[in-house]
Amino acid sequence: MNNTDFNHLKKLMAQGRIDAEELEKRLQTYDSINDEEALAELRRLIDTQPRAHTTSMKVYRIAAAIALLLVAGGLVWYTQYTKVTPPEISQAVQLAMQRSVESGKAQYALADDGTDAQDANARGDEHTGVLQEEHIQGIDGTLAPSDSHIAEPAAVDIPEDFDLMAARRVTTYHDKEFWLKLDDGTLVHLNYNTRVIYPEKFGRKTREVILDGEAYFMVAKDRSRPFIVHTLQGDVKVYGTEFVVNSQNAVVLIKGSVGFTPKSGHEMKLQPGQQCTLLNGQWAMSEADLEPYIAWNEGRFSFDNVSLEKLMDVLARWYGLEIRFESDKTRQTMFTGELDKFVSVEPTLRAIRKVTDVDVRISGKTIIIQ
């Protein structure tokens, strides 16, 4: 190696254009090095500056890669955590919604589109069976029902952060239902004699509604904002998707997971197919027959070994008719089967006659059972 070669290699290293490994390779291309001092200096450079530079660069690159992965992972987690997934609405439920509206037995409205709701209110509660009000009046943190048709008027505690004055309300009457789509995509199917209070827009931390009556909830998934149903008896916190709440005495889980916290007591977690019911002042867990609830949500009445007296009580409210039994014996006649909710009363009575072999007929506004 001559002085020219040595100076050239030294200049390259100073500029950071070659590292220790590359310099080692180049030294091996020379047969001998006559200048011992040059050799010693090159070895010193190899053992110090170039290797230190290379090591620091590698550490920097690894740290940068780890930081990038952490940031990317955090973004993915946050996106998934705050993602809102609308509920899956089956074809059977979609058809039930369509048929219920066409039959005049129900209405459908969007929480983020006040047009339908306002039109429903404008047409009058006597014609539609549904009353929707934009503003609610509260007294001392409670909601006092003012509608006489609600079976058991009661006060429902209002959550502290619930903006009652900006809330909306839907109330159904004895022979009507209502389908309500909330701000997050949650679908609520209100039974008759039911009221729900909800915000036009949910907040950033929670999704809360107030229920007086019975409703079938199909809740949108949003892990960052729990969905809570406040009732007279307690609160239902959603961990899954579909469930039924009767504000007086029952919570039934169809699928997913919910927790029910009574007014005085600890949270009880329900699994699919379970119900929490109020019996003699105490809440108890038990297995539930889900078919009647699923059938009702899909536009059917489902009865399993039910007395004709109980069956007629349901039909009387649904069709707005009176019932008259001319024989006490027929009251206890048992019925098992399904009835279409959205057909007229005549086909329904024919189906009952066929199953029970009991003379059932209609006269004016009265169903007569002989």
Side-chain angles (χ1 to χ4, degrees):
M1 172 183 287
N2 54 39
N3 289 335
T4 302
D5 294 330
F6 168 74
N7 290 331
H8 180 65
L9 290 176
K10 187 175 179 181
K11 183 178 180 181
L12 291 176
M13 292 187 66
Q15 295 175 349
R17 296 168 61 183
I18 61 173
D19 56 17
E21 288 79 3
E22 178 64 21
L23 184 56
E24 289 274 15
K25 293 178 182 179
R26 295 198 182 193
L27 288 176
Q28 292 173 6
T29 63
Y30 295 96
D31 295 330
S32 63
I33 300 178
N34 298 323
D35 191 335
E36 293 297 331
E37 292 184 3
L39 176 62
E41 186 172 356
L42 285 174
R43 289 299 181 189
R44 180 180 61 78
L45 290 172
I46 291 172
D47 293 337
T48 57
Q49 184 179 5
R51 291 189 185 277
H53 174 73
T54 301
T55 302
S56 63
M57 286 298 293
K58 287 182 178 179
V59 171
Y60 173 78
R61 289 172 181 172
I62 292 173
I66 293 174
L68 182 61
L69 287 174
L70 290 175
V71 171
L75 288 174
V76 171
W77 174 86
Y78 182 78
T79 300
Q80 292 299 318
Y81 185 70
T82 58
K83 180 181 180 181
V84 179
T85 305
E88 295 183 4
I89 309 301
S90 67
Q91 291 185 346
V93 172
Q94 294 180 44
L95 180 60
M97 293 172 61
Q98 178 183 343
R99 294 186 64 215
S100 65
V101 173
E102 291 175 348
S103 67
K105 300 297 289 186
Q107 288 179 273
Y108 175 75
L110 304 177
D112 54 356
D113 181 2
T115 303
D116 290 343
Q118 292 171 1
D119 286 348
N121 187 37
R123 284 192 294 269
D125 51 5
E126 293 183 359
H127 301 288
T128 66
V130 175
L131 173 66
Q132 176 143 353
E133 298 176 348
E134 290 193 12
H135 300 290
I136 312 301
Q137 297 295 329
I139 302 177
D140 298 330
T142 62
L143 173 71
S146 58
D147 303 292
S148 59
H149 70 278
I150 298 292
E152 297 181 19
V156 179
D157 291 340
I158 302 299
E160 292 182 1
D161 56 350
F162 195 96
D163 189 356
L164 193 63
M165 297 307 295
R168 290 176 174 267
R169 176 174 70 175
V170 171
T171 302
T172 61
Y173 287 76
H174 68 279
D175 62 343
K176 298 293 182 180
E177 298 179 356
F178 199 84
W179 295 88
L180 179 66
K181 186 177 181 182
L182 301 178
D183 168 51
D184 63 339
T186 291
L187 190 62
V188 186
H189 184 186
L190 278 66
N191 205 345
Y192 54 77
N193 284 358
T194 295
R195 172 173 48 203
V196 65
I197 299 173
Y198 60 94
E200 186 173 357
K201 295 287 184 181
F202 286 121
R204 295 183 177 181
K205 295 182 179 180
T206 62
R207 298 170 292 164
E208 301 182 65
V209 300
I210 300 170
L211 178 71
D212 183 12
E214 185 175 51
Y216 191 115
F217 288 83
M218 289 158 277
V219 180
K221 294 181 180 179
D222 184 349
R223 290 185 294 175
S224 66
R225 298 183 299 170
F227 192 98
I228 302 173
V229 181
H230 299 280
T231 74
L232 170 69
Q233 301 294 344
D235 300 333
V236 180
K237 187 174 182 179
V238 179
Y239 299 94
T241 50
E242 294 188 20
F243 59 97
V244 177
V245 178
N246 184 307
S247 65
Q248 299 297 324
N249 58 13
V251 177
V252 182
L253 181 60
I254 309 299
K255 63 172 69 172
S257 178
V258 302
F260 174 65
T261 305
K263 287 295 183 182
S264 58
H266 301 289
E267 183 182 48
M268 295 178 284
K269 290 284 188 69
L270 281 74
Q271 298 300 318
Q274 290 184 329
Q275 62 183 353
C276 190
T277 53
L278 183 62
L279 300 172
N280 300 321
Q282 298 293 325
W283 287 95
M285 299 273 289
S286 62
E287 296 300 313
D289 180 8
L290 302 184
E291 176 55 29
Y293 302 99
I294 296 174
W296 169 71
N297 197 46
E298 294 179 349
R300 296 171 284 121
F301 287 124
S302 179
F303 301 98
D304 183 13
N305 202 32
V306 173
S307 70
L308 204 56
E309 184 176 26
K310 291 184 177 179
L311 183 153
M312 286 300 170
D313 182 57
V314 173
L315 297 184
R317 288 197 301 268
W318 183 245
Y319 289 106
L321 301 172
E322 296 181 357
I323 303 297
R324 188 174 79 213
F325 282 91
E326 296 190 344
S327 168
D328 289 338
K329 182 179 180 180
T330 56
R331 292 177 181 270
Q332 301 308 315
T333 301
M334 308 309 289
F335 178 89
T336 296
E338 290 188 350
L339 300 172
D340 191 331
K341 289 168 56 178
F342 304 122
V343 297
S344 62
V345 66
E346 288 81 5
T348 299
L349 297 182
R350 286 198 297 268
I352 294 173
R353 281 197 297 268
K354 183 176 181 180
V355 173
T356 63
D357 198 27
V358 172
D359 184 13
V360 182
R361 58 189 175 86
I362 185 170
S363 177
K365 290 290 185 178
T366 304
I367 298 177
I368 303 171
I369 302 99
Q370 292 181 332

